[in-house]
Amino acid sequence: MANAPDRSPRPEFRPAAADAPIAPEEAPSPVRIAVVAGPNAPAASARPSLRPTPSQPQRPVAAVIAIAPGTSALAVPRSLRPDLRPADLARPRAGTAPRTTTASVAPTVQRGRLCGQRGLAGDRLAPIYTGTGGCGIVEPILLREVDGIALSSPATINCDTARALQQWVRQSLVPEVGRYGGGVRSLRVVASYACRTRNNQPGARLSEHARGNAIDIAGIGLADGTELTVLTDWRTRREGGILRDLHRGACGPFGTVLGPESDRFHRDHFHFDVARHRGGPFCR
């Protein structure tokens, strides 16, 4: 108490001129802050200058901090404020999940080996789902050739039907036709996959075509440009004999074989399918 100050430590008011606003064209002077360890008091008031009003341009203030010897200096070369996000960067809206795009997949082309069989050429297709009970193919293919014999229209079928057709071509078609007309060049396909009833009759059972199990053939193209057709050649002597042998030879590789004498719906083509029956192949 003997060394009590003779006046209040409350600081005096700053002169009015010190509080005058900074003119817009004047740049604020850099502020230097000295931190000194020891009993020496700062020579000037540590009260900071007033912040410029919003109407005044704000310019960066350089601050230089002098650290007393023996202490570590923390120098920041640039502002720690993060950079602004680029304006063209897309931002997802709140509550929405990112969109995913599913690209359409092109058919896988397999020339000369399809369904694990050399000689079958065509494309693998995506599964066929129609939403109609019983229709569709889990692993469809688009068959174009069998052992070099072209199909006039690529057939959408399953692999069981394709393998049965190849067996018929090898065991019956090529040997029976032989060199007649120069040999077999093509097969005229008039039906393959279709989601429909048998013979397109209302109320009938679902056709084997609706499952990819069937293929219909109406003619056999020959190398000389002619064609054996079921409609016109079935009742002829020579050509009809070849067609009857081909009809008979399909009974075995296929579970169902229908021809011109089965009913009025098949008078112009052969119907082959791989459905299995309890009593063995159904051929008419």
Side-chain angles (χ1 to χ4, degrees):
M1 298 298 293
N3 296 327
D6 57 354
R7 59 186 300 178
S8 172
R10 181 179 181 182
E12 298 178 357
F13 288 101
R14 291 174 67 91
D19 294 333
I22 301 174
E25 63 275 6
E26 293 180 0
S29 301
V31 177
R32 290 180 176 271
I33 302 175
V35 180
V36 182
N40 297 328
S45 171
R47 182 179 179 184
S49 302
L50 292 176
R51 242 176 129 142
T53 59
S55 61
Q56 298 173 346
Q58 300 183 15
R59 301 178 184 177
V61 178
V64 179
I65 303 177
I67 307 298
T71 61
S72 60
L74 302 176
V76 181
R78 56 175 296 180
S79 170
L80 297 180
R81 181 179 181 184
D83 295 334
L84 292 177
R85 234 175 130 94
D88 59 347
L89 185 63
R91 301 184 181 185
R93 292 180 297 177
T96 60
R99 296 180 59 187
T100 58
T101 302
T102 303
S104 56
V105 181
T108 302
V109 179
Q110 296 191 359
R111 297 292 181 186
R113 194 176 187 88
L114 192 64
C115 299
Q117 293 294 116
R118 188 178 301 276
L120 296 181
D123 310 324
R124 289 192 177 277
L125 303 178
I128 299 175
Y129 300 113
T130 63
T132 304
C135 288
I137 311 176
V138 177
E139 295 181 347
I141 63 168
L142 190 67
L143 187 64
R144 300 179 184 276
E145 293 180 3
V146 179
D147 292 346
I149 298 174
L151 305 188
S152 62
S153 300
T156 301
I157 52 179
N158 58 32
C159 283
D160 289 341
T161 307
R163 285 189 285 261
L165 182 64
Q166 185 181 45
Q167 184 179 351
W168 173 72
V169 166
R170 291 178 175 181
Q171 296 179 357
S172 297
L173 178 63
V174 172
E176 292 295 340
V177 174
R179 301 185 63 83
Y180 179 80
V184 181
R185 178 65 58 85
S186 64
L187 291 173
R188 180 153 58 92
V189 176
V190 292
S192 56
Y193 172 77
C195 185
R196 62 174 176 82
T197 59
R198 292 181 178 180
N199 303 317
N200 289 302
Q201 297 301 296
R205 296 177 61 182
L206 200 64
S207 171
E208 292 299 324
H209 285 284
R211 303 182 179 94
N213 289 335
I215 186 170
D216 291 352
I217 296 175
I220 299 165
L222 304 176
D224 62 2
T226 61
E227 183 184 41
L228 294 175
T229 67
V230 176
L231 179 62
T232 60
D233 295 321
W234 178 257
R235 302 189 184 280
T236 62
R237 183 173 182 179
R238 184 176 183 183
E239 292 79 3
I242 295 175
L243 292 174
R244 289 173 185 273
D245 288 339
L246 295 179
H247 178 276
R248 190 181 305 111
C251 193
F254 292 97
T256 306
V257 178
L258 302 177
E261 296 180 8
S262 62
D263 54 43
R264 62 187 177 88
F265 299 107
H266 298 90
R267 62 189 182 87
D268 61 351
H269 69 275
F270 292 147
H271 168 89
F272 300 154
D273 72 51
V274 294
R276 297 302 172 187
H277 309 280
R278 290 184 179 180
F282 179 83
C283 304
R284 180 180 298 175

